[in-house]
Amino acid sequence: QKEVEQDPGPLSVPEGAIVSLNCTYSNSAFQYFMWYRQYSRKGPELLMYTYSSGNKEDGRFTAQVDKSSKYISLFIRDSQPSDSATYLCAMSARPDNAGNNRKLIWGLGTSLAVNP
Amino acid sequence: DSGVTQTPKHLITATGQRVTLRCSPRSGDLSVYWYQQSLDQGLQFLIQYYNGEERAKGNILERFSAQQFPDLHSELNLSSLELGDSALYFCASSVVADVRGYTFGSGTRLTVV
């Protein structure tokens, strides 16, 4: 079993739809949760970052973390064709005693197409 | 432009050959990470350097090696190339204490024929 599971899709929605993207994980030590967006032929770019449980909102994007269920979500409201991309979740445990980042563990990514 | 520069953007080479991929991190970032991305495996962490020293190793093959130079740029060397090494290779950089993730370059697309 992979540490992080993410449905690869593809997911196809009409413009204006609410999109829900999800990841599950097995390591209870994970504290930092990130969503990256990757356009075709580009590197991933950080979209949302959440520490521990709770919600975080940024414009049309909302990230949710449910540590009790080991489940994270990214919601996109009023989706636009420009949101068409692959969305990857990533997570890590807290830094070590020397303050060094733990390794990021990645989901495989979900391919999203928003149709005009 | 993310600030992380990778060269070359595309590389086509034959099996058995050796190639070098180059990465210049974002200004101020001391850590460099190398990732391999293929369709079936997703993003696979290869290796991390911090200020010239190897800090962490992931699923890096013995045929692959990397180093980070005093000016902080990094090179990933891939040798005895096989068809299965065809993939996107990404470099990312970060401030070590920043757990909010990395800044990625645009990648090098390697095709082994």
Side-chain angles (χ1 to χ4, degrees):
Chain A
Q1 183 190 8
K2 291 192 173 195
E3 277 190 284
V4 178
E5 300 276 1
Q6 184 176 11
D7 185 341
L11 188 60
S12 182
V13 301
E15 184 175 352
I18 296 174
V19 177
S20 172
L21 304 166
N22 312 293
C23 288
T24 59
Y25 63 95
S26 57
N27 189 343
S28 58
F30 289 150
Q31 297 276 350
Y32 302 94
F33 304 92
M34 284 142 280
W35 286 95
Y36 282 79
R37 177 175 61 195
Q38 185 176 19
Y39 289 114
S40 180
R41 303 183 186 280
K42 296 289 188 183
E45 57 176 331
L46 182 64
L47 197 58
M48 298 285 284
Y49 157 78
T50 309
Y51 169 69
S52 194
S53 284
N55 293 359
K56 186 171 184 178
E57 189 172 320
D58 183 1
R60 296 183 295 111
F61 298 90
T62 300
Q64 285 186 353
V65 175
D66 182 347
K67 292 192 71 181
S68 62
S69 302
K70 297 190 180 69
Y71 188 88
I72 69 170
S73 300
L74 177 71
F75 297 96
I76 307 174
R77 291 183 299 280
D78 187 25
S79 56
Q80 302 294 310
S82 58
D83 295 328
S84 298
T86 297
Y87 290 81
L88 301 105
C89 63
M91 47 198 81
S92 70
R94 65 175 58 205
D96 62 21
N97 291 336
N100 299 311
N101 287 352
R102 300 289 187 181
K103 190 170 62 173
L104 270 182
I105 308 298
W106 296 81
L108 281 180
T110 299
S111 176
L112 170 67
V114 180
N115 305 304
Chain B
D1 182 5
S2 68
V4 178
T5 304
Q6 286 188 251
T7 57
K9 291 193 183 308
H10 303 278
L11 202 48
I12 301 174
T13 190
T15 54
Q17 295 298 304
R18 171 189 168 96
V19 297
T20 297
L21 312 184
R22 182 187 169 102
C23 169
S24 294
R26 199 177 52 168
S27 178
D29 287 354
L30 299 178
S31 253
V32 168
Y33 310 80
W34 285 99
Y35 280 87
Q36 180 192 60
Q37 187 178 41
S38 59
L39 281 174
D40 57 342
Q41 293 290 321
L43 268 169
Q44 297 290 311
F45 169 66
L46 297 177
I47 197 163
Q48 176 200 358
Y49 279 84
Y50 171 71
N51 204 20
E53 293 188 1
E54 182 183 305
R55 183 57 66 94
K57 246 182 179 177
N59 304 322
I60 187 166
L61 300 172
E62 285 191 13
R63 300 183 285 109
F64 296 180
S65 65
Q67 53 184 326
Q68 186 179 29
F69 295 88
D71 67 352
L72 300 178
H73 92 271
S74 178
E75 291 180 357
L76 179 66
N77 300 297
L78 314 175
S79 60
S80 302
L81 285 167
E82 302 174 359
L83 295 177
D85 297 327
S86 296
L88 270 168
Y89 290 84
F90 286 107
C91 166
S93 70
S94 75
V95 175
V96 171
D98 186 353
V99 298
R100 287 171 292 178
Y102 316 147
T103 301
F104 281 82
S106 294
T108 293
R109 182 174 294 277
L110 173 67
T111 303
V112 182
V113 297

